Amino acid sequence: MMLLKAVVLLSLASAPPAKPACATTNIETALQHLTAHLKTAVPEASKDDSVDNSAMYFAEEAVGQTWTVQDVPNGYVSTGNDAGTRYEAALFKNPEGYHLAIVGTGDSGINTAVYRCDKSGLALEREGLEVPLEKAIELYANAGLIAPKGKPGLTRKDLKDWGGSILAYHLPRKGRAIRITSYVDEPGSAYGKDLGTLEYVQSKFQVVPLKTKAR
């Protein structure tokens, strides 16, 4: 009897960890998991107005889109380049599960949502892709887009006072780096310039700026 117990305990100790209920390597399946999750999460979130649940509501809007580009082997889908808001989703796999990132790029702003799948299930990572304003301004400075003091051009104050998003995020069809570009359109020469990347390293998104340009 003692030997049987020892065998059972040894088997349990050597068994691989259970996979999360949301586990998958297929982005279409991941989006299905998210859709099911939101059916419960969104109504619950609506009862609590003390928390910013805008990312959750955006995710609900995004998963209802028709994905015209479906690159399942690379974990990427998008709505293509139609007029209006363009939606992208990408799967970033890690040993414990994955992160599902969603970006919506519109005329006046960028919306993002990031969901983490691990042994606890699916959970929203609030501001998962968001770069703090001061760090975003430094990305502009590193890219040489801020005019020297006293010279005409884009200033730090312009960026602080900007009425919408100042960064755009471009999910990768391949790889694990999200490209960051400038999203201010005054002056027009600043729009769409590369500012750096968000690298998916050790299950986290980390900001990597461009090398500082000479002034």
Side-chain angles (χ1 to χ4, degrees):
M1 188 64 178
M2 291 296 293
L3 179 60
L4 179 60
K5 287 183 178 179
V7 170
V8 171
L9 289 172
L10 183 61
S11 298
L12 290 174
S14 59
K19 289 185 177 180
C22 53
T24 183
T25 58
N26 185 301
I27 189 167
E28 293 175 322
T29 304
L31 288 167
Q32 290 170 5
H33 286 316
L34 178 57
T35 302
H37 170 76
L38 290 171
K39 288 180 179 179
T40 300
V42 171
E44 286 297 317
S46 66
K47 300 174 185 177
D48 184 1
D49 58 4
S50 65
V51 177
D52 180 6
N53 289 304
S54 56
M56 188 178 295
Y57 297 130
F58 163 68
E60 183 185 39
E61 172 187 301
V63 295
Q65 301 298 315
T66 299
W67 305 106
T68 56
V69 176
Q70 300 182 49
D71 188 349
V72 175
N74 286 309
Y76 174 87
V77 294
S78 79
T79 58
N81 294 306
D82 295 336
T85 301
R86 178 175 185 263
Y87 297 89
E88 295 180 286
L91 204 60
F92 295 84
K93 290 165 278 188
N94 63 58
E96 295 182 352
Y98 57 80
H99 277 84
L100 175 64
I102 306 172
V103 171
T105 305
D107 292 335
S108 59
I110 306 294
N111 290 307
T112 67
V114 177
Y115 279 81
R116 180 188 70 253
C117 168
D118 60 19
K119 62 183 179 182
S120 301
L122 271 176
L124 175 68
E125 285 202 348
R126 300 185 190 281
E127 302 179 352
L129 294 184
E130 295 301 318
V131 177
L133 180 59
E134 288 301 325
K135 184 171 282 189
I137 292 173
E138 286 307 312
L139 293 179
Y140 274 79
N142 287 340
L145 297 180
I146 295 180
K149 191 173 181 178
K151 299 288 186 180
L154 191 64
T155 68
R156 290 176 181 267
K157 186 177 185 306
D158 292 334
L159 293 173
K160 288 181 179 179
D161 294 342
W162 196 258
S165 304
I166 68 170
L167 300 181
Y169 305 94
H170 309 269
L171 297 182
R173 188 157 177 169
K174 295 182 180 180
R176 298 163 73 83
I178 299 172
R179 192 164 62 97
I180 304 173
T181 61
S182 56
Y183 204 58
V184 300
D185 53 9
E186 293 179 11
S189 58
Y191 180 80
K193 299 295 185 181
D194 283 323
L195 300 177
T197 55
L198 278 166
E199 306 280 348
Y200 191 64
V201 180
Q202 296 181 346
S203 305
K204 294 181 181 179
F205 294 101
Q206 302 177 14
V207 180
V208 179
L210 294 179
K211 292 182 178 180
T212 303
K213 288 190 175 181
R215 298 295 186 266

